Structure formats: structure tokens, C-alpha cells
Amino acid sequence: KRADGIVKGMLEHSRTGGGEKQLTDMNVLADEFLRLSYHGLRAKDKSFNAEMTTHFDPNLPKVNVLPQDMGRVFLNLFNNAFYAVNQKKKTAAPDYKPEVSVFTSSENGQVIIRVKDNGMGIPDAIKEKIMQPFFTTKPTGEGTGLGLSLTYDMVVKGHGGSIQVESSEGQGSEFIIIL
């Protein structure tokens, strides 16, 4: 299964822009994939639970993107965020409330999507490495190390956008996509 996951990830990595870009409502896409990610994780682990909050800009302009690629980006970010809050819940105080939030806004003709969690956070020592192919913090068999690398390629190379990471160890992480 792990080898299969790695091969699929590598094939996605090498894929050159299939499909047509289309004007897409990022609020709808983000909301759809947030729920898909959450329910996918709940299907695997019935004890998993987290608060999902959305702060969508109702006047967000549509963006010309490959919807399937941006859906994959959202799925990677949401899956990682839910994983981080679930890991923290295992060691946190009983009053810890796992939460994943999505914010959208627009500024200077750009659409900004922020995915924030209150999970484990990313240690400073590895922040530079997290977008590299095959780098993972997950235990063997749980991650291929291709999710964030693929996310980076789709946002930056595929859509000419940018992705930033802000994180405090023990406090959580925030991924900011600008298109």
C-alpha cells in the first residue's frame, strides 16, 4: 500500500497540466474539500472529531484555476491539519479542542486562502524541508512525503501563486495560499 501511494504521488508529480482552467469559486471548492477530508478521516477513525470553522469572504472573486488540482491542494492541506490536531489530542490536556479553520479574502486583485489548525505545529528545524518531495514527519506507512511537495508545485508552478507557512511548535500551523 505504501509503495502504491508513493508511485501514485510520483505520477501526480510528473503529470503535466491536464484539464482546462476555469473560473472557480474558491469558497465552494474549499468548503467541499474541507467536508470531504473530515468525513474521510471520520470513516477511518470513528473516534476522530474536530471543530471546522469557515470564514469565507462573500465577495471573493472567482479564480481561473484547474479545479481538480486546487481540490487536491485543499485535500492535502486539510488532511494534514486534521492529522496535526488529532496527534495533539492524543497528548494534550482534556480541555483541548481540535480546530481547523479556513479563511478566504481578496486583496489587490489576489485571492488569499488560509488554512489554520491548532495542532502540533511545525518545529523550526524542519520548516524549510516540509515542501521537499519524500519529506514526511508521519510515521512509516502513514505518509508518502509527497502531499506538500505536490501542493507547492500545483500552487506555484501550476497556477503562478505562492504558498507560505507560519507555525509555532505546540501552537499550530497556518498555510497561506495566494493566487
Side-chain angles (χ1 to χ4, degrees):
K1 277 185 176 178
R2 180 162 162 72
D4 185 49
I6 290 171
V7 169
K8 280 182 182 160
M10 289 172 70
L11 288 171
E12 281 185 35
H13 241 298
S14 65
R15 188 174 59 114
T16 50
E20 292 287 313
K21 284 188 178 178
Q22 46 192 272
L23 284 176
T24 305
D25 183 332
M26 299 309 276
N27 289 340
V28 170
L29 198 65
D31 193 51
E32 183 182 320
F33 279 92
L34 179 65
R35 291 174 200 302
L36 183 69
S37 172
Y38 179 76
H39 291 296
L41 292 168
R42 289 262 313 154
K44 284 185 201 158
D45 177 3
K46 297 278 183 241
S47 68
F48 172 74
N49 209 344
E51 183 77 25
M52 295 183 293
T53 55
T54 56
H55 306 275
F56 293 145
D57 178 346
N59 302 312
L60 196 71
K62 289 187 177 185
V63 185
N64 200 27
V65 296
L66 290 164
Q68 67 274 22
D69 282 4
M70 289 311 297
R72 184 76 217 170
V73 163
F74 287 142
L75 201 56
N76 288 337
L77 293 177
F78 298 149
N79 285 347
N80 284 352
F82 285 129
Y83 179 84
V85 299
N86 200 29
Q87 289 304 108
K88 184 170 180 176
K89 185 162 180 57
K90 292 174 183 176
T91 59
D95 64 343
Y96 169 71
K97 301 261 186 281
E99 185 175 0
V100 174
S101 305
V102 186
F103 304 82
T104 62
S105 59
S106 62
E107 242 175 69
N108 305 324
Q110 295 179 309
V111 167
I112 301 156
I113 303 123
R114 295 171 25 229
V115 177
K116 184 176 181 146
D117 68 66
N118 65 346
M120 301 295 287
I122 302 164
D124 287 337
I126 64 166
K127 270 187 200 159
E128 299 296 313
K129 298 177 188 172
I130 63 169
M131 301 286 182
Q132 293 174 6
F134 303 111
F135 182 83
T136 184
T137 58
K138 294 175 184 164
T140 301
E142 284 193 44
T144 61
L146 291 168
L148 286 178
S149 171
L150 193 58
T151 294
Y152 179 86
D153 282 357
M154 288 178 176
V155 170
V156 176
K157 296 176 184 170
H159 291 89
S162 68
I163 186 165
Q164 302 160 10
V165 184
E166 293 177 5
S167 184
S168 299
E169 199 169 351
Q171 302 298 309
S173 301
E174 182 173 27
F175 285 80
I176 304 152
I177 296 172
I178 302 170
L179 298 169

